[in-house]
């Protein structure tokens, strides 16, 4: 909300010389958020001038300029810049005549831009200043010609200060209005807040509007509220006021002071009648709509849209209406989206002579849904969504009548209507001691009563507390905690002490939290970067990574109101997000990546939350509904996924680059397993999104020997990598971290340092090509028994000297005993036992 200071000063006392910064500070002290300060950004000698004469001079480029003689000070007096009273000025505009009074920017002035003005030679003349247009002054977008002051109804003295004349010396403070404080979307509301902050006297503009006898008895205009299908049990309109003003002159100019205030408030000037309705909306917070009375067909009906009904709105867009949309209609059909935007059929134009004024109060939920449905936010809908004072409608309509009479030459008619079905808010009981217990400050009874009365509440003492009736402009005050907040705000937040809570002893991170942090730390220590990707994916991404098998349906949670229509599902895998991160970084030149994400995935069950489960309106859900909602929350296990692409080792002098691949993904898996104290076996497998032959299932071995599948690793299919604009080799892994931690030991115990030397031997086994090396390794480990301390694959040979369709796998074995030095015979015996086990399972033979 932008608040011009001159406007604010009409309703609350501002000390002379009050700066925008001081106003901001005062408003911040009562809970509003400081945003910006707006001015017209001009300075220097800018005066009223009068065109004495001009000569039109055609130029070689086809353009005709005017060499003008302009009086910028009374005859015989010095101009504001110390120069002569008549200046020669070159002007390209052609919409002015001798005798016109205009705005002249003299040398030394600076216009918005910044655009400094100086005497300069152009078109063969020295132009000693500039005649300004409305856009050059920051008053509007009109740049077709210069600003003629007569068009604004002004006839000032030559040489007068044009900045003060046009209100260009004003400034506006901008504050952010939170959704619960809709009353602050008006000068009236901000003035009241400034009064709370400073104690300055507040004058309610709604009380200052003279309501004529015609207004009090306005009747005869038919208005019907026919809301047969209220949304969530709320009728669409509770107040509807109409007034008629006849014989207005819509061609009259909007006064300069009003244009300046509207501009500072962020609203452009359109026409006098429309500007008046916008001005009153900003002043009182009540959206106003004006209709060309002569274009209305019959009376007005407030109803829901009919199926298939359309409306051409003021922006010339044809909109297909929804049966939930609240519309204003006459005998011809819908003529406006209630509280959002009017229709083109009754639009006010220059030829309008009779105006019907509408000041209504519409249901916030209905207006908000209509505005979002049609992607049509407006100043009116912004206010109705947050709640408008239902009792200000009569005063707002009367204020529009007053301005139309004063500025447009109209006169009020006794034709009109007043429908008021608004219901006063229920008084709120505020128990004694409640505020002190909630806020932590012992406010006195006078402070509490004074603060509640200051915000407009009607305070009645009762046994054990107070009964407070909220003011009509504060629909956000609904319970005693809201009242406590208001007391703290008005009395001063500085009264609330800053006390750090004392953490109860004996608490810390849970086992799961410690292990998750250890995993994240060890991956980061080994050169990987943690990232955080969006959890929203497409159906195809979930289908591709949510399950290893192609064609298997993946249950997923679909969002009812997705931020991105192309990604309306919650993820069932972390890999789609990591691939997006890789693509984004590669596009920015970061070609060597090693990243990981630790986050949740979403696995819906049979009872997922649906809209039919939610209670209607603001109804409090019962225990059964809450239990159903809790049961419908999807399971959210924590996963860990990683990705490696580019070079794992950079090229160096004498050393070639080492490209990242499956080995790097498995390294990250082993680092993770070590962090939680679990051994992870790698089993050859397949996955629809990964390269066949370079895909592994990851199986965790618990301390008790049990095995649990916890994820997979591999390299992305080259075709898929190409489709995603990624390099040919992209190594990835994903682990169910919760499942991995579940099989981890309760405590990670450091291994015993061996006191006896190890015996090392190699073992080469010949097996069929289709036998996975990992399965052979596990068979040897099982057969070799407890003496085998470590085993790893060091060679996979396929070539001459072997039977066709076979391969030779060489393993490096390390044996050790805890109580003695092993002999070569003992080590050989254990090795042969491992070979025998591999022979039994896979037909492996020792290579000679």
């Amino acid at each position: 909300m932008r608040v011009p200071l001159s406007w604010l000063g009409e309703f609350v006392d501002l000390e002379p010389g009050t700066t925008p910064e001081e106003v901001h500070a005062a408003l911040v002290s009562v809970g509003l958020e400081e945003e910006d300060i707006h001015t017209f950004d001009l300075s220097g000698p800018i005066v009223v001038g009068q065109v004495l004469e001009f000569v039109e001079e055609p130029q070689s480029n086809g353009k005709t300029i005017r060499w003008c003689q302009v009086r910028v000070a009374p005859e015989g007096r010095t101009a504001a810049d110390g120069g002569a009273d008549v200046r020669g000025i070159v002007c390209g505009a052609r919409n002015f005549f001798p005798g016109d009074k205009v705005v002249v920017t003299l040398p030394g002035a600076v216009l918005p831009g910044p655009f400094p003005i100086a005497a300069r030679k152009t078109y063969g003349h020295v132009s000693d200043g500039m005649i300004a247009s409305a856009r050059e002054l920051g008053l509007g977008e009109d740049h077709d010609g210069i600003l003629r002051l007569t068009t604004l109804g002004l006839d000032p003295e030559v040489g007068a200060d044009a900045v003060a004349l046009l209100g260009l010396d004003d400034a506006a403070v901008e504050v952010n209005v939170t959704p619960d404080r809709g009353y602050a979307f008006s000068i009236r509301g901000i003035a009241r807040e400034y009064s709370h902050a400073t104690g300055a006297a507040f004058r309610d503009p709604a009380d200052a509007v003279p309501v004529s006898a015609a207004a009090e008895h306005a009747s005869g205009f038919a208005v019907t509220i026919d809301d047969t299908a209220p949304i969530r049990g709320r009728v669409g309109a509770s107040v509807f006021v109409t007034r008629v003003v006849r014989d207005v002159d819509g061609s009259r100019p909007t006064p300069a002071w009003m244009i300046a205030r509207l501009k500072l408030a962020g609203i452009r000037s359109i026409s006098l009648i429309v500007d008046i309705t916008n001005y009153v909306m900003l002043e009182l917070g009540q959206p106003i709509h004006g209709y060309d009375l002569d274009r209305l067909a019959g009376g007005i009906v407030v109803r829901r849209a009919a199926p298939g009904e359309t409306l051409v709105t003021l922006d010339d867009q044809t909109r297909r209406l929804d049966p939930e949309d609240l519309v204003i209609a006459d005998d011809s059909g819908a003529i406006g989206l209630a509280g959002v935007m009017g229709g083109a059929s009754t639009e006010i134009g220059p030829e309008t002579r009779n105006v019907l004024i509408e000041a209504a109060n519409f249901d916030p939920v209905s207006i908000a849904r209509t505005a979002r449905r049609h992607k049509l936010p407006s100043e009116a809908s912004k206010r109705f969504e947050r709640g408008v004072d239902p009792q200000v409608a009569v005063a707002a309509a009367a204020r529009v009548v007053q301005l139309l009479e004063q500025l447009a030459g109209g006169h009020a008619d006794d034709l009109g209507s007043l429908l008021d079905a608004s219901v006063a808010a229920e008084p709120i009981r505020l128990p004694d001691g409640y505020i002190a217990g909630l806020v932590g400050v012992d406010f006195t009874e006078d402070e509490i009563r004074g603060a509640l009365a200051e915000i407009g509440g009607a305070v009645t003492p009762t046994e054990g507390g107070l009964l407070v009736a909220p003011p009509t402009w504060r629909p956000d005050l609904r319970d005693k905690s809201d009242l406590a907040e208001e007391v703290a705000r008005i009395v001063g937040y500085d009264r609330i002490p800053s006390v750090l809570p004392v953490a109860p002893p004996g608490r810390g991170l849970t086992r799961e939290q410690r292990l998750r942090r250890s995993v994240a730390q060890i991956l980061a220590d080994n050169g990987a970067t943690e990232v955080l990707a969006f959890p929203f994916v497409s159906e195809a991404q979930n289908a591709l990574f949510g399950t290893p098998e192609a064609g298997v349906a993946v249950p997923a949670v679909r969002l009812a109101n997705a931020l991105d229509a192309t990604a309306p599902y919650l993820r069932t895998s972390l890999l789609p997000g990591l691939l997006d991160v890789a693509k984004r970084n590669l596009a920015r030149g970061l070609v060597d990546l090693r990243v990981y994400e630790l986050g949740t995935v979403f696995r819906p069950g049979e009872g997922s939350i649906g809209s039919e489960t939610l209670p209607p309106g603001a109804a409090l859900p019962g225990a059964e509904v809450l239990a159903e909602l809790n049961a419908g929350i999807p399971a959210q296990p924590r996963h860990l996924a990683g990705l490696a692409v580019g070079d794992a080792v950079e090229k160096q002098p004498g050393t070639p680059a080492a490209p990242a691949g499956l080995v790097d993904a498995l390294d990250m898996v082993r680092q993770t397993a070590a962090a939680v104290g679990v051994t992870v076996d790698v089993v050859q497998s397949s996955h629809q999104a990964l390269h066949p032959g370079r895909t592994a299932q990851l199986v965790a071995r618990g301390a008790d020997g049990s095995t649990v599948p916890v994820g997979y690793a591999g390299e992305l299919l080259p075709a898929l990598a190409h489709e995603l604009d990624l390099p040919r080799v992209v190594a990835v892994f994903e682990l169910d971290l919760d499942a991995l931690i579940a099989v981890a030991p309760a405590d990670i115990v450091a291994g015993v340092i061996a006191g006896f030397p190890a015996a090392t031997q190699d073992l080469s086994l010949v097996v069929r090509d289709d036998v996975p090396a990992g399965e052979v390794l596990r068979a040897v480990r099982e057969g070799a028994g407890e003496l085998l301390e470590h085993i790893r694959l060091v060679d996979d040979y396929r070539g001459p000297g072997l039977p066709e369709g076979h391969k030779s796998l060489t393993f490096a074995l390390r044996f050790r005993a805890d109580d003695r030095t092993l002999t070569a015979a003992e080590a050989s015996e254990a090795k042969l036992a491992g070979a025998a086990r591999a022979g039994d399972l896979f037909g492996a033979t020792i290579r000679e």
Side-chain angles (χ1 to χ4, degrees), residues 273-557:
I273 300 174
V274 175
D275 289 349
I276 287 173
T277 61
N278 285 333
Y279 186 86
V280 173
M281 175 188 69
L282 292 172
E283 186 171 80
L284 298 177
Q286 169 67 58
I288 302 288
H289 188 68
Y291 302 88
D292 188 327
L293 181 63
D294 298 327
R295 299 173 70 177
L296 279 171
I300 280 180
V301 178
V302 184
R303 59 172 173 81
R304 300 289 168 178
E309 191 170 14
T310 61
L311 171 67
V312 179
T313 46
L314 289 174
D315 56 359
D316 292 326
Q317 298 294 315
T318 301
R319 303 183 185 277
R320 181 170 294 278
L321 304 180
D322 187 275
E324 281 192 358
D325 290 335
L326 191 69
V327 300
I328 309 298
D330 64 2
D331 292 348
S332 66
I335 58 174
L337 274 173
V340 179
M341 184 173 284
S345 62
T346 57
E347 181 179 6
I348 288 177
E351 72 286 350
T352 298
R353 290 295 174 266
N354 301 309
V355 178
L356 176 73
I357 301 160
E358 167 206 299
N361 194 279
F362 298 114
D363 172 48
V365 174
S366 179
I367 301 306
R369 295 177 68 165
T370 295
R372 284 159 178 73
R373 184 181 299 116
H374 294 282
K375 297 181 174 60
L376 195 61
S378 65
E379 291 292 330
S381 67
K382 183 164 61 176
R383 286 163 173 79
F384 281 125
E385 288 173 14
R386 291 162 171 80
V388 172
D389 182 0
Q391 299 305 309
V392 81
V394 171
R399 176 65 165 149
V400 176
V401 172
Q402 180 188 49
L403 292 174
L404 286 175
E405 289 179 326
Q406 292 176 356
L407 304 178
H411 64 269
D413 198 317
D414 59 1
L415 185 64
S417 60
L418 170 59
L419 299 181
D420 187 351
S422 60
V423 179
E426 289 291 328
I428 303 169
R429 177 173 172 74
L430 182 64
D432 289 337
Y434 174 78
I435 296 179
L438 182 66
V439 179
V441 177
D442 288 326
F443 296 111
T444 66
E445 185 175 348
D446 288 343
E447 286 177 326
I448 293 174
R449 291 190 182 187
L452 295 175
E454 189 173 339
I455 64 171
V459 183
T460 304
T462 62
E463 184 178 353
L466 300 173
L467 201 61
V468 183
T472 57
W473 58 85
R474 293 298 302 272
D476 58 305
L477 302 181
R478 299 176 181 175
D479 56 39
K480 56 187 178 182
S481 60
D482 295 330
L483 298 180
E485 180 184 356
E486 287 301 296
V487 171
R489 187 174 69 89
I490 298 302
V491 176
Y493 289 131
D494 55 345
R495 289 278 299 277
I496 303 175
S498 299
V499 180
L500 289 175
V502 178
R507 295 186 182 181
L509 298 177
T510 65
R511 169 178 173 271
E512 290 75 13
Q513 289 172 330
R514 289 197 308 271
L515 292 178
R516 286 197 295 269
R517 291 194 179 188
S518 296
V519 168
Q521 188 62 52
I522 198 169
L523 291 176
D525 289 345
N526 282 274
T529 301
E530 186 173 8
V531 297
L532 187 64
F534 282 112
F536 312 121
V537 297
S538 66
E539 185 176 15
Q541 287 174 312
N542 267 343
L544 187 61
F545 292 100
T547 176
E549 302 178 30
V552 177
V554 182
V557 178

Side-chain angles (χ1 to χ4, degrees), residues 519 545-546 548 572-575 597 599 601 603 637-642 665-666 668-670 672-674 676-683 685 687 696-702 706-714 732-744:
V519 168
F545 292 100
T572 57
S573 166
L574 300 181
L575 286 180
E597 180 178 7
V601 297
R603 301 290 173 82
R638 287 180 173 85
H639 278 208
L640 172 70
L666 293 177
M668 297 172 77
V669 170
R670 293 189 179 100
T672 300
V676 300
V678 172
T679 300
V680 172
D681 292 332
V682 178
V683 180
S685 184
H687 191 288
Q697 184 185 38
L698 306 173
V699 180
R701 280 191 289 120
S706 61
T707 59
V708 179
V710 291
Y712 57 87
V732 298
F733 77 89
E734 182 161 10
L735 291 169
D736 185 336
L737 193 56
D738 284 350
L740 188 67
I741 291 175
V743 300

Side-chain angles (χ1 to χ4, degrees), residues 200-257:
F202 169 68
R203 298 172 292 278
D204 193 340
D207 295 338
V209 178
V211 181
S212 65
E216 295 173 350
H217 303 289
S219 62
F221 187 82
V223 174
T224 304
I225 299 177
D226 183 21
D227 189 8
T228 57
I231 302 301
R232 295 183 180 268
R234 300 164 67 113
V235 176
S238 58
V239 176
F240 206 96
V241 177
T242 62
R243 293 289 307 277
V244 171
V245 179
R246 298 189 183 275
D247 300 325
V248 299
D249 184 358
S251 64
R252 287 191 182 184
T254 301
W257 58 267

Side-chain angles (χ1 to χ4, degrees), residues 27 112 206 228 329 334 400 515 566 568 581 624 666 760 788:
L27 295 177
T228 57
V400 176
L515 292 178
T566 63
V581 169
E624 293 184 0
L666 293 177
T760 59
L788 180 62

